Amino acid sequence: MLDTVLIKMNTTNKNLVFNILTILLFGVNSIFAQSIKYSSFQPGEIWKDNNGIHINAHGGGILYQKGTYYWYGEHKIEGKAGNAAHVGVHCYSSKDLYNWKDEGISLSVVNDTASDIQKGCTLERPKVIYNAKTKKYVMWFHIEKKGKGYKYAHSGVAVSAKPTGPFKFIGSVRSNPGHWPINVLPIHKQPVSDYVKKTYFPGGGFPGNIDTLNILGKFFDEGQMERDMTLFVDDDGKAYHIYASEYNATLQIAQLSDDYTTHNGRYVRAFAGLFMEAPAIFKHNGLYYIIMSGTTGWLPNPGRAAVAPSIWGPWTETGNPFVDADLETSYHSQSTYILPVAGKKDAFIFMGDRWRPDNAIDGRYVWLPIEFEGDKMVLHWYENWDLSKFNSN
């Protein structure tokens, strides 16, 4: 009997000691996680949030509001399946751009099979802008229905009263049904090519000139295709939706409605037939700049840049803005957003993603300062840099 009691006591003591050690270890780890402080950017490296977890906001964009930056991006999970949307859009906040607080999921996917944002759908490149008139935060993103490939080519729209959400999904759209672009050509109003009518293009290799195929005209009634995208709010408060369209062959730039939740019928085609995606746009010294990539799937390719006197164009290509070693892969990244740094004149940060399609959650971020040679933007590689880089501006 005594032996049994001693065994029970020893077991209890062991469990007690184990529990105490576990609590202490968890506490130490928590303190360590909270003590991580960054004072610079290290492009391509693991970037941990306030909880000590690698930031999970891929293909994202940033909103600056009342002294705080909000970073929105695709929440990925482990493995190849993690490239689909199993969670939603993650949000982080920061005061200094180096250190980020996890604000949770700002837009969640749902289990409703009738919804465009059903769990397992393709939800890409979320961007958020603030509408001063409605006092609403408006999120746009590229959406493809679950299991349907890339044929749907819509944009999803969601709104919230707070920057961190929750955002309410209000629907998906294609742009400007029943409207021709400002720079429409006579050929676009002619019958659509029989080749286009019967063929689905996965994103390249059109026979002949794209305008002779009249892909624009094919989608005149239902609205134009929308894939990789970004948003831009100009100095006058007017907002624009910039997206890869016409089976990725052409970029379209469309003005949004006053409440930023739909298009207003005014848009242009740019870079027709040049197959560019991943647009990121900004304004500097009265000129509009854009960075894009080619269309090579998950594989990185040489960056492409252009400048224009107006958001509507004409756009003039200025070549690959990446100039150091690995320029042919855009430093192993793809553009996603250009961030103007608050309080610093002529300070812009290129934001890019290093995709890891075999293990989506391990994707990395490449942030670099944008420099200028005359009216041409240039991106040098820096393994470690901070915002003092802009002090000379």
Side-chain angles (χ1 to χ4, degrees):
M1 184 68 172
L2 182 59
D3 290 343
T4 302
V5 172
L6 288 174
I7 289 171
K8 288 183 177 179
M9 287 178 65
N10 287 337
T11 301
T12 301
N13 289 338
K14 287 179 181 178
N15 289 338
L16 180 62
V17 171
F18 176 78
N19 289 337
I20 291 172
L21 289 174
T22 300
I23 292 170
L24 288 173
L25 183 61
F26 177 79
V28 169
N29 286 339
S30 297
I31 292 171
F32 178 74
Q34 294 291 337
S35 68
I36 295 174
K37 289 292 181 183
Y38 295 100
S39 58
S40 65
F41 305 105
Q42 296 97 42
E45 300 299 323
I46 288 289
W47 195 351
K48 295 182 179 180
D49 65 13
N50 61 305
N51 296 316
I53 299 171
H54 181 49
I55 293 170
N56 199 340
H58 310 272
I62 290 183
L63 170 74
Y64 179 75
Q65 188 77 347
K66 298 180 180 178
T68 301
Y69 295 93
Y70 296 92
W71 182 356
Y72 307 88
E74 307 160 28
H75 181 103
K76 301 291 190 183
I77 63 172
E78 295 279 351
K80 290 184 178 181
N83 293 304
H86 295 276
V87 178
V89 177
H90 211 134
C91 178
Y92 296 83
S93 67
S94 175
K95 298 290 187 181
D96 61 8
L97 291 177
Y98 306 123
N99 301 283
W100 293 88
K101 176 186 176 184
D102 184 356
E103 297 285 359
I105 303 302
S106 58
L107 174 70
S108 298
V109 295
V110 298
N111 290 318
D112 182 0
T113 58
S115 174
D116 282 1
I117 59 169
Q118 177 190 0
K119 183 177 180 180
C121 68
T122 297
L123 192 163
E124 298 176 332
R125 298 182 177 270
K127 305 293 185 290
V128 174
I129 52 180
Y130 177 69
N131 190 299
K133 293 180 180 178
T134 65
K135 302 191 184 311
K136 296 290 186 182
Y137 297 87
V138 185
M139 178 187 292
W140 284 69
F141 48 89
H142 168 218
I143 192 76
E144 301 285 350
K145 289 187 175 182
K146 180 180 179 181
K148 300 298 183 181
Y150 277 74
K151 295 182 180 181
Y152 193 52
H154 278 57
S155 288
V157 185
V159 296
S160 174
K162 298 191 302 180
T164 54
F167 281 79
K168 180 182 179 181
F169 179 61
I170 61 174
S172 68
V173 298
R174 277 199 175 187
S175 71
N176 298 304
H179 292 274
W180 294 113
I182 295 169
N183 54 351
V184 64
L185 299 173
I187 196 171
H188 296 140
K189 297 184 179 181
Q190 295 178 7
V192 176
S193 160
D194 288 337
Y195 190 87
V196 168
K197 289 180 180 178
K198 68 181 181 181
T199 306
Y200 166 67
F201 298 101
F206 289 141
N209 183 285
I210 184 174
D211 288 324
T212 66
L213 299 173
N214 195 8
I215 297 172
L216 178 78
K218 177 182 180 181
F219 297 111
F220 177 76
D221 291 327
E222 65 181 284
Q224 300 299 315
M225 303 177 81
E226 303 175 17
R227 290 180 176 164
D228 277 12
M229 55 137 286
T230 192
L231 299 176
F232 174 73
V233 180
D234 211 338
D235 303 331
D236 59 4
K238 293 179 180 178
Y240 299 86
H241 183 208
I242 300 99
Y243 50 92
S245 191
E246 302 173 39
Y247 295 110
N248 283 1
T250 300
L251 195 78
Q252 293 186 1
I253 301 172
Q255 193 173 88
L256 296 181
S257 58
D258 286 345
D259 65 1
Y260 299 171
T261 63
T262 189
H263 305 94
N264 71 358
R266 185 172 171 81
Y267 71 108
V268 295
R269 301 170 72 234
F271 314 106
L274 296 185
F275 289 95
M276 294 192 281
E277 61 183 10
I281 191 170
F282 67 104
K283 189 177 183 179
H284 169 64
N285 286 346
L287 296 175
Y288 297 80
Y289 291 83
I290 196 164
I291 298 179
M292 295 162 288
S293 78
T295 53
T296 54
W298 295 113
L299 299 176
N301 54 64
R304 299 164 77 168
V307 62
S310 163
I311 190 77
W312 304 119
W315 290 92
T316 301
E317 286 202 71
T318 57
N320 187 350
F322 300 86
V323 295
D324 294 330
D326 294 323
L327 77 165
E328 294 300 309
T329 64
S330 303
Y331 308 143
H332 302 282
S333 74
Q334 186 183 40
S335 49
T336 185
Y337 193 72
I338 303 297
L339 168 64
V341 181
K344 287 186 177 286
K345 185 177 182 294
D346 301 332
F348 302 92
I349 296 176
F350 164 85
M351 292 171 53
D353 286 275
R354 281 187 178 174
W355 302 111
R356 299 287 174 87
D358 290 332
N359 188 26
I361 200 172
D362 189 38
R364 308 294 176 86
Y365 311 103
V366 174
W367 287 25
L368 293 168
I370 292 180
E371 302 171 74
F372 295 91
E373 295 179 355
D375 289 338
K376 181 180 179 180
M377 74 177 92
V378 173
L379 286 164
H380 286 284
W381 174 256
Y382 298 97
E383 291 188 358
N384 193 305
W385 68 282
D386 60 43
L387 295 175
S388 67
K389 181 73 179 171
F390 299 117
N391 287 352
S392 60
N393 292 350

